[in-house]
Amino acid sequence: MSDTTQQFPGTVPVGRPGHPGHPADDTAGAEYAHYRIVPAKHHARTAGTVLAIALIGIVLNSVLGNPRWGWGVFAEWFFAGPVLEGLARTLVLTGLGALFGFALAVPLALARVSRSPLLAGCAWAFIWLFRSIPPIVLLLLLNNLGYLYETIWIGVPFTHIALLNQSTTDLISPFFAAALGLTLNHAAFSAEAIRGGILSVDHGQREAAAALGLPGTRQVRRIVLPQAMRAILPTAFNDVIGLAKGTSVVYILAMPDLFYTVQIIYHRNLEVIPLLMVATVWYLIILTVLSAIQVHIERFYARGATREQVVASPLAALFKHWRNARAAARLATHAQTSDAGTTTGWAQRRVGGKVGIHNVSKSFGALKVLDNISLAIPSGSVTVILGQSGSGKSTLLRSINHLERVDDGFIDIDGDLIGYRRDGRTLYELKEKDVLQRRRADVGMVFQSFNLFPHLSVLDNIVEAPLASGVPRGQAEAEARELLARVGLADKADAWPRQLSGGQQQRVAIARALALKPKVLLFDEPTSALDPELVNEVLDVIRQLARSGTTLIIVTHEIGFAREVADTIVFMDGGRIVETGSPASVLGDPAQARTREFLSKVL
Ligand code: ADP
Ligand code: MG
């Protein structure tokens, strides 16, 4: 180090030109541009490269130089008719097994993680059975099904109406048995790969999707599966590669696949090694093609997974170009059809909802988290909930949009219950589908950990819920861009969430919650995950929202902010409301000792 400093006297303050006490810095810094750069030497790397070249040479020499490999015979048989026929059979069986197996595996995996014990149990049993039976045994069983059941009959039970009535041996040919057996086997393994992928998706993602009220199938299709794919793909391709090689078991049904064909040939001409090489090279080619496909699919599902801008393939670039053109066209039609006077602006949206919390209680096991809570929250007001960690604030907030089901009492928004239909003194619980729809119509929620969908662009995050509600894409995108401008992120529409700072992500999350024009907006510690200097950019957005019409309910530890924007402060402790009132009274002159104690800690 000291050597270097001697040679280059201007080394130290490059970044601080003109710093007092270093008068020579300026010139020294500028001269760097003309220095010659000598790359660092990597001796080990060079030695390794030489070794690798030597090894490749030795292998090539032994493979090409030894006449016993019989490359002449290899060339003769490589494209021979029977070999190609065997290859085709291998490919077709692999393709069918992979395609139908995967198609069957998706519902199996979803059933396996479903909340219905019977459904989960059936899926488990299927997977247990078909993973246990060796493929060769399964193929033989299917091929001999005709012995067990002479005919296969599909029709309406207890009648004579038959849709299908055929002899089993006619129906189940060896090829059918092979394809079916490989499909069942592959489905069992793939289902577990898919389940692994589903489990790897962060719980917050599903919660955010539920809070947005996305319908169940859309949650799976748009949010869960695309993210699960990243974890599914490597295992799934392993399974397909295993399947391609495993198809050789079909020889047991007297079906010559690639490997069996090769065996037949070398039994005849005794050229064992060259013919085994024919099979090996074909398997290598299959694997190479599959790997190439895997790379492309993986890249597709890696969208937004890292902060780096992934270099798009020409095909993807073309697709993006086409999408952008379509979006521009939609925007133009939307601008024509919507008359500027009638578009509901961001600030002058619908009237906020009035929230009534009536004697609500909730326990987790023996722990009473909400204890007979009652609260009336006027339309368009701003309510801030304060309290220690664990006092039940999040549970109360989540009960308002029915993410949490209360044990006793009820919560209504403008007289409507989110999770129930009221008839006299009876509450009928609503189906999940209807709950999601009500949530979509009435309540938005912003989480502490943002929970943006990382595989969707910022714009797509915002339009997801409006699209699910049937808003035309042109209108949804126009409104989303308007919302983005309002939260100061107009230029980030096409960015991936992970490319944004925490504060920017949270502002996108607010825009996403606003896109449905909710009557009530819930914030659960929206700034707690942010660095101190980013807190204000989010609070500024919430400040603008206050008194814009939407009812805001905010859980936060930002006391200064609470004093400034809140109409009402609610202080919770141990699942009860200890004190409510204006900021001046609760924060300035608390009546309860508990409140005073809490404030003395946080202020
Ligand atoms: P806060 O948001 O005020 O910090 P929460 O409402 O998150 O508090 O939690 C209140 C209490 O309920 C805590 O003691 C917490 O451990 C418990 N709790 C919350 N959710 C669950 C759950 N799903 N199962 C069991 N206990 C829970
Ligand atoms: Mg909480």
Side-chain angles (χ1 to χ4, degrees):
M1 266 330 249
S2 58
D3 283 1
T4 348
T5 343
Q6 272 165 15
Q7 277 174 347
F8 306 104
T11 312
V12 189
V14 184
R16 302 153 71 194
H19 190 271
H22 298 274
D25 293 350
D26 267 350
T27 46
E31 275 172 19
Y32 271 121
H34 309 295
Y35 285 176
R36 190 167 65 88
I37 294 169
V38 181
K41 292 203 169 61
H42 303 278
H43 294 295
R45 199 187 295 168
T46 318
T49 311
V50 171
L51 192 70
I53 293 174
L55 275 177
I56 293 171
I58 292 168
V59 171
L60 282 180
N61 183 41
S62 89
V63 170
L64 300 176
N66 182 349
R68 294 205 189 166
W69 284 97
W71 294 112
V73 183
F74 170 89
E76 193 183 311
W77 283 104
F78 193 65
F79 290 113
V83 170
L84 293 186
E85 259 172 53
L87 174 69
R89 198 164 283 125
T90 294
L91 289 179
V92 168
L93 285 173
T94 306
L96 288 177
L99 199 71
F100 288 115
F102 202 76
L104 181 58
V106 174
L108 270 174
L110 292 175
R112 184 91 164 71
V113 297
S114 98
R115 264 174 286 181
S116 151
L118 186 64
L119 209 56
C122 288
W124 178 86
F126 178 97
I127 293 166
W128 168 76
L129 187 67
F130 288 105
R131 283 205 303 178
S132 311
I133 306 179
I136 202 163
V137 177
L138 180 60
L139 293 194
L140 283 174
L141 277 175
L142 287 171
N143 202 41
N144 290 305
L145 210 60
Y147 173 75
L148 283 176
Y149 304 100
E150 272 178 29
T151 54
I152 289 181
W153 180 86
I154 298 175
V156 184
F158 310 114
T159 66
H160 295 292
I161 305 167
L163 303 172
L164 178 95
N165 192 0
Q166 220 174 357
S167 111
T168 308
T169 34
D170 285 351
L171 197 67
I172 302 190
S173 64
F175 181 81
F176 187 88
L180 183 62
L182 293 173
T183 297
L184 293 175
N185 185 259
H186 188 63
F189 282 94
S190 297
E192 284 298 274
I194 295 173
R195 188 171 68 94
I198 293 174
L199 295 183
S200 77
V201 177
D202 183 38
H203 180 68
Q205 291 291 307
R206 256 172 282 177
E207 190 145 271
L212 283 174
L214 299 184
T217 48
R218 197 176 174 109
Q219 286 185 25
V220 170
R221 188 168 53 79
R222 293 277 301 159
I223 308 301
V224 178
L225 280 184
Q227 293 188 63
M229 279 310 254
R230 287 203 16 103
I232 294 172
L233 282 171
T235 328
F237 268 90
N238 257 351
D239 289 347
V240 173
I241 289 164
L243 180 69
K245 291 183 284 186
T247 49
S248 53
V249 298
V250 300
Y251 79 88
I252 201 78
L253 309 182
M255 286 178 47
D257 75 313
L258 176 60
F259 182 50
Y260 193 53
T261 311
V262 160
Q263 277 178 301
I264 296 172
I265 299 171
Y266 73 58
H267 278 308
R268 241 185 288 138
N269 68 6
L270 304 180
E271 297 278 8
V272 179
I273 299 286
L275 279 155
L276 283 180
M277 286 317 288
V278 167
T280 308
V281 172
W282 274 122
Y283 281 125
L284 283 175
I285 293 174
I286 295 176
L287 186 102
T288 310
V289 172
L290 281 175
S291 306
I293 297 174
Q294 178 176 358
V295 167
H296 274 86
I297 302 185
E298 279 190 9
R299 195 181 296 165
F300 176 78
Y301 282 107
R303 288 168 307 167
T306 60
R307 298 197 71 157
E308 283 128 56
Q309 201 74 51
V310 182
V311 184
S313 67
L315 205 66
L318 201 70
F319 177 69
K320 191 166 179 193
H321 181 77
W322 171 76
R323 248 190 79 153
N324 286 348
R326 231 173 40 140
R330 272 196 305 263
L331 216 58
T333 27
H334 173 69
Q336 273 171 12
T337 50
S338 73
D339 158 3
T342 57
T343 30
T344 40
W346 176 72
Q348 343 96 46
R349 66 194 61 263
R350 64 156 100 186
V351 203
K354 187 168 87 196
V355 181
I357 302 176
H358 310 272
N359 307 96
V360 161
S361 293
K362 163 96 190 162
S363 300
F364 287 116
L367 181 70
K368 193 143 203 178
V369 182
L370 298 181
D371 191 359
N372 196 21
I373 294 217
S374 291
L375 195 62
I377 298 173
S379 157
S381 65
V382 180
T383 304
V384 169
I385 304 178
L386 299 178
Q388 268 190 339
S389 172
S391 56
K393 307 179 298 290
S394 295
T395 309
L396 180 63
L397 216 55
R398 293 158 52 81
S399 301
I400 293 175
N401 65 353
H402 205 65
L403 277 179
E404 214 70 76
R405 221 169 86 182
V406 299
D407 302 333
D408 201 16
F410 66 93
I411 298 175
D412 73 281
I413 296 178
D414 288 341
D416 284 335
L417 280 72
I418 295 281
Y420 305 89
R421 182 171 58 81
R422 184 161 44 170
D423 190 1
R425 292 190 56 79
T426 316
L427 294 182
Y428 296 95
E429 194 173 2
L430 290 178
K431 284 198 212 109
E432 180 75 7
K433 183 168 130 276
D434 302 317
V435 174
L436 288 167
Q437 200 208 333
R438 286 211 182 171
R439 215 180 268 155
R440 209 157 60 220
D442 287 350
V443 214
M445 185 160 189
V446 175
F447 298 89
Q448 176 176 343
S449 46
F450 330 136
N451 293 344
L452 291 180
F453 306 130
H455 62 299
L456 299 181
S457 71
V458 163
L459 192 73
D460 284 340
N461 262 278
I462 302 176
V463 299
E464 187 60 29
L467 290 183
S469 309
V471 177
R473 192 176 257 277
Q475 184 187 341
E477 284 185 2
E479 286 176 359
R481 284 181 196 280
E482 188 193 343
L483 281 169
L484 274 176
R486 296 297 180 139
V487 298
L489 294 170
D491 53 338
K492 296 290 184 192
D494 294 321
W496 298 111
R498 288 211 175 98
Q499 293 169 332
L500 304 182
S501 75
Q504 292 172 330
Q505 290 194 44
Q506 191 61 299
R507 286 187 277 153
V508 173
I510 295 174
R512 179 174 73 173
L514 284 171
L516 288 166
K517 307 188 179 81
K519 294 181 185 172
V520 181
L521 197 49
L522 311 172
F523 291 87
D524 194 357
E525 304 199 25
T527 59
S528 296
L530 296 177
D531 292 334
E533 76 270 23
L534 301 179
V535 167
N536 261 322
E537 63 184 59
V538 171
L539 293 185
D540 278 342
V541 170
I542 305 177
R543 256 183 217 112
Q544 289 180 45
L545 272 176
R547 274 161 286 277
S548 69
T550 311
T551 308
L552 305 185
I553 307 178
I554 307 166
V555 173
T556 183
H557 294 291
E558 300 289 332
I559 303 291
F561 169 77
R563 181 176 291 132
E564 181 194 332
V565 303
D567 297 309
T568 312
I569 303 261
V570 175
F571 177 68
M572 283 182 71
D573 189 45
R576 292 165 190 262
I577 293 180
V578 175
E579 191 165 351
T580 72
S582 67
S585 71
V586 178
L587 299 177
D589 182 23
Q592 303 292 329
R594 264 313 277 120
T595 321
R596 244 173 283 142
E597 193 190 325
F598 172 79
L599 289 175
S600 72
K601 277 191 221 148
V602 295
L603 276 177

